[in-house]
Amino acid sequence: MDRKILSRVAYLLNCLHSGTRRYVVVVTIGIALLSWFYTTAKPVQPKLCGSPGGPPVTAKRVYLSDGRYLAYSESGVPKEDAKCKIIFSHGFSGSRLTTLRVSTEIMDELGVYMVGYDRAGYGESDPNPYRSLRREALDVEELADALELGPKFFVIGFSLGGHSVWASLKYMPERLAGAALLAPVINYRWPGFPRNLSTEAYNSQPVGDQWTFRVTYYTPWLLNWWMNQPWLPSSSVVKGTASLPNKLDARLHVEMKSSEIVKEMKRLATQQGVHESLHRDMMVMFGKWEFDPMDLPPPNIPVHLWQGDEDGLVPVTVQRYICHRLRWIDYHELPSTGHFLTMVPGFGDTVLKTLLA
């Protein structure tokens, strides 16, 4: 055979051999990356309270129609002596124990019985992989019925817990005696917002939060991976790096980061898994809503909304617009005040006296 042909054949065989090796290396790396991605994206199985190896059950709980347990905590006057009964929905990373701070004198004077509850997956409430706004309202209603709060009761929601109040106004307005929203977190994709307003408010948020909102809305199945990957910016609230322009907020933020009590409360709130508590909270709040709050008809009850004008987490401009659209909401804007309204001295007393008047 011609020496040139033999040389060419040898060259081609060598290329094939080298290419095969490269192919094997590429495939191996690809499989390793896919395996890592799958492991990171797949949430850790929750450790249910009361299950073998899981956290102990220490709270009072009610049994729901879908087989889950909902944990709650009571405060105020005895239920049988109460004139007003209130269900409080905690904020992001909160729990049944983080309710409205109200003086004993006001609770007694107004005859208030208040129930704080762990939303699904938080604290000692069982996780719910099918969490939704409608399911949130049903949880509130079933809790009220199990505790025999009567045909009507009040609801209050703080920060991200405000979605529970919006859901109650949508799905069971006939059960409510009144409602209060305290610095409620908003969804930038509510159709009722003018595009320029929501875009401006959205762009004012840190880049990591903007991307987290996108992931939560478009690819919620990717959220667990997104919140655990170390390279790209994610939620500043979860990482504790959020910018808080208000002086009280900034001081409280520093104190909470160093407080062992606060750390322990957060650990207990997320003890069944961060994905089942924080991540699912984000999916409900920043995902695709079943309705637009700005389309809600006027309810025949008092509804109040409190907002600080120096809130670094929820732009005051969007709250002003919501209350401009929904004239049936009594809007209370607090000057020189940030997001942590429940920590403002005397604020809890003001909310109850106003709501129950």
Side-chain angles (χ1 to χ4, degrees):
M1 186 180 292
D2 191 334
R3 189 173 292 179
K4 288 184 178 180
I5 296 176
L6 288 173
S7 177
R8 185 64 178 172
V9 170
Y11 174 75
L12 291 172
L13 288 173
N14 184 58
C15 287
L16 179 63
H17 182 60
S18 300
T20 300
R21 283 185 297 180
R22 284 197 295 270
Y23 176 76
V24 171
V25 170
V26 169
V27 170
T28 302
I29 293 174
I31 292 174
L33 288 173
L34 285 173
S35 175
W36 168 82
F37 175 79
Y38 176 77
T39 303
T40 311
K42 185 179 180 181
V44 177
Q45 282 293 105
K47 296 180 179 180
L48 301 185
C49 288
S51 65
V57 175
T58 63
K60 298 177 181 178
R61 304 202 299 179
V62 298
Y63 188 70
L64 303 179
S65 60
D66 63 359
R68 291 182 295 115
Y69 282 98
L70 204 68
Y72 67 95
S73 177
E74 302 165 291
S75 61
V77 303
K79 182 172 56 179
E80 56 274 13
D81 299 331
K83 300 175 185 176
C84 305
K85 297 163 185 175
I86 300 173
I87 294 180
F88 186 90
S89 177
H90 62 79
F92 191 65
S93 76
S95 73
R96 66 187 183 279
L97 303 176
T98 51
T99 57
L100 193 63
R101 299 185 174 204
V102 184
S103 66
T104 303
E105 292 76 17
I106 292 297
M107 294 285 265
D108 291 342
E109 178 187 332
L110 298 177
V112 174
Y113 166 83
M114 189 178 301
V115 179
Y117 72 103
D118 291 330
R119 292 202 303 280
Y122 275 97
E124 296 182 27
S125 287
D126 289 341
N128 182 7
Y130 307 106
R131 275 190 66 182
S132 67
L133 292 158
R134 182 184 291 274
R135 185 64 253 183
E136 192 68 39
L138 289 174
D139 282 2
V140 171
E141 187 171 31
E142 287 197 54
L143 174 64
D145 290 340
L147 296 180
E148 300 180 339
L149 300 190
K152 288 185 179 290
F153 51 89
F154 293 84
V155 289
I156 300 177
F158 168 62
S159 189
L160 198 143
H163 76 266
S164 174
V165 175
W166 288 122
S168 297
L169 288 168
K170 168 65 176 178
Y171 295 114
M172 55 168 192
E174 71 285 349
R175 296 298 307 274
L176 304 182
L181 293 146
L182 316 179
V185 173
I186 58 97
N187 186 313
Y188 294 94
R189 290 181 170 81
W190 285 341
F193 282 131
R195 179 62 62 86
N196 62 329
L197 175 64
S198 58
T199 300
E200 181 182 359
Y202 183 86
N203 291 336
S204 70
Q205 301 302 301
V207 173
D209 292 280
Q210 294 181 35
W211 275 104
T212 301
F213 295 150
R214 292 189 186 102
V215 171
T216 306
Y217 187 82
Y218 292 109
T219 55
W221 55 270
L222 196 60
L223 184 60
N224 189 69
W225 173 83
W226 180 262
M227 296 303 296
N228 287 292
Q229 54 80 28
W231 308 289
L232 301 172
S234 59
S235 171
S236 65
V237 176
V238 175
K239 292 190 295 186
T241 59
S243 174
L244 300 171
N246 179 261
K247 291 181 180 179
L248 177 60
D249 277 4
R251 178 172 63 80
L252 289 172
H253 184 60
V254 172
E255 292 175 359
M256 287 189 291
K257 287 180 71 173
S258 59
S259 170
E260 293 301 322
I261 296 177
V262 172
K263 290 178 182 177
E264 177 63 12
M265 289 182 68
K266 185 174 182 180
R267 186 193 69 78
L268 292 174
T270 59
Q271 64 183 342
Q272 296 183 93
V274 172
H275 183 75
E276 296 301 332
S277 51
L278 304 187
H279 295 176
R280 291 204 185 278
D281 234 8
M282 295 165 69
M283 284 186 237
V284 174
M285 184 68 238
F286 303 116
K288 297 177 181 178
W289 274 50
E290 305 150 22
F291 63 94
D292 184 348
M294 282 173 275
D295 289 336
L296 290 174
N300 191 28
I301 57 169
V303 179
H304 296 266
L305 191 153
W306 277 267
Q307 173 73 25
D309 67 347
E310 293 181 358
D311 193 324
L313 301 180
V314 185
V316 67
T317 53
V318 296
Q319 301 289 29
R320 289 171 180 166
Y321 182 81
I322 290 171
C323 295
H324 171 74
R325 281 281 302 270
L326 302 177
R327 298 301 180 95
W328 43 267
I329 293 180
D330 285 321
Y331 179 55
H332 311 272
E333 187 171 302
L334 307 180
S336 304
T337 306
H339 186 72
F340 299 127
L341 300 183
T342 57
M343 304 294 284
V344 175
F347 177 73
D349 290 5
T350 299
V351 169
L352 287 197
K353 287 189 289 185
T354 305
L355 178 63
L356 305 182

